[in-house]
Amino acid sequence: QVQLVESGGALVKPGGSLTLSCAASGFTFSDYYMSWIRQAPGKGLEWISYICSSSCTYTNYADSVKGRFTISRDNAKNSLYLQMNSLRAEDTAVYYCSRINGPFDIWGQGTVVTVSS
Amino acid sequence: EIVLTQSPGTLSLSPGERATLSCRASQTINNRYLAWYQQKPGQAPRLLIYGASTRATAIPDRFSGSGSGTDFTLTISRLEPEDFAVYYCQQYGTSPGYSFGQGTKLEIK
């Protein structure tokens, strides 16, 4: 069964840091580009970052998170990560990981990040 | 960066009716790399359509997509109760990112 499971969401203070994880199963994780997408409360979807497959090292970020967030992957552990630094109130959202197969064909259930003092 | 604008913001229809949702891009989307997603409350988005008109796995044939260039449409031929949700378009063919439209909420009239 193809599945993505996010974890690591928490309540964090402004300026703090947090690392999200996404565990993949049911497919050859290293073959696929992967992405993080977030959704603020009551708002739409915002793509924030992607990382290419095992054969390359390219990453890309939305302007809203560039320089603060870092995407990475561990193909041996079938895991995707999002290191988030200098968190702001506007980073409060549900964070989804997704498999890129042209479009985003597989999504996790999401993990909640709340940035508040 | 390609900006996607969806219309209408909210669409109120009854089960059995036909729904037409629009997605307009600020510049041409190459190779029709346009996808549609459905999202229900408390759930992750689900891929419905990719390549502007190809249904994803297990998507009922009442869902269809069309369009090219900058104008795309998602049509639901006869609405079922489970179709009332928020729908997003997304472009995935042009670097640097994968922008989404702001969404259309399809609600029961």
Side-chain angles (χ1 to χ4, degrees):
Chain A
Q1 176 188 2
V2 176
Q3 193 173 13
L4 297 170
V5 179
E6 302 94 336
S7 60
L11 171 63
V12 61
K13 289 181 168 52
S17 298
L18 196 64
T19 298
L20 305 183
S21 300
C22 170
S25 59
F27 65 99
T28 305
F29 177 72
S30 59
D31 285 350
Y32 291 89
Y33 284 40
M34 297 293 295
S35 183
W36 287 98
I37 304 98
R38 70 183 179 185
Q39 186 170 36
K43 302 298 184 181
L45 301 171
E46 179 188 14
W47 167 79
I48 55 174
S49 183
Y50 78 82
I51 186 168
C52 61
S53 61
S54 63
S55 58
C56 70
T57 58
Y58 186 74
T59 59
N60 202 0
Y61 300 90
D63 288 344
S64 58
V65 305
K66 197 172 295 184
R68 300 188 300 123
F69 290 12
T70 302
I71 191 172
S72 62
R73 64 191 298 161
D74 184 336
N75 292 323
K77 295 183 178 180
N78 290 333
S79 292
L80 177 73
Y81 305 100
L82 186 68
Q83 170 69 42
M84 304 185 294
N85 297 326
S86 303
L87 283 162
R88 307 165 179 166
E90 55 265 34
D91 295 319
T92 294
V94 177
Y95 285 73
Y96 296 101
C97 66
S98 182
R99 185 177 80 171
I100 301 175
N101 189 14
F104 295 0
D105 66 340
I106 305 297
W107 295 66
Q109 85 290 349
T111 189
V112 178
V113 173
T114 303
V115 183
S116 175
S117 55
Chain B
E1 177 190 347
I2 295 180
V3 176
L4 300 177
T5 302
Q6 293 186 239
S7 61
T10 301
L11 185 59
S12 299
L13 294 170
S14 300
E17 291 192 292
R18 180 185 186 90
T20 302
L21 287 67
S22 175
C23 177
R24 177 163 289 178
S26 60
Q27 56 187 278
T28 294
I29 294 178
N30 296 329
N31 299 313
R32 304 175 79 222
Y33 285 157
L34 191 285
W36 290 93
Y37 300 85
Q38 177 193 66
Q39 188 179 34
K40 297 180 180 179
Q43 296 184 18
R46 174 175 70 146
L47 177 66
L48 295 177
I49 300 284
Y50 62 94
S53 61
T54 302
R55 279 188 298 277
T57 303
I59 301 302
D61 61 7
R62 63 180 181 274
F63 291 90
S64 63
S66 63
S68 63
T70 60
D71 289 302
F72 298 86
T73 300
L74 174 69
T75 301
I76 310 172
S77 58
R78 284 182 58 86
L79 286 165
E80 298 288 343
E82 62 267 28
D83 297 337
F84 292 92
V86 180
Y87 292 83
Y88 295 94
C89 60
Q90 179 209 31
Q91 68 83 18
Y92 57 94
T94 302
S95 294
Y98 295 86
S99 48
F100 290 92
Q102 83 279 16
T104 290
K105 182 180 181 180
L106 178 57
E107 66 177 22
I108 298 177
K109 187 174 182 179

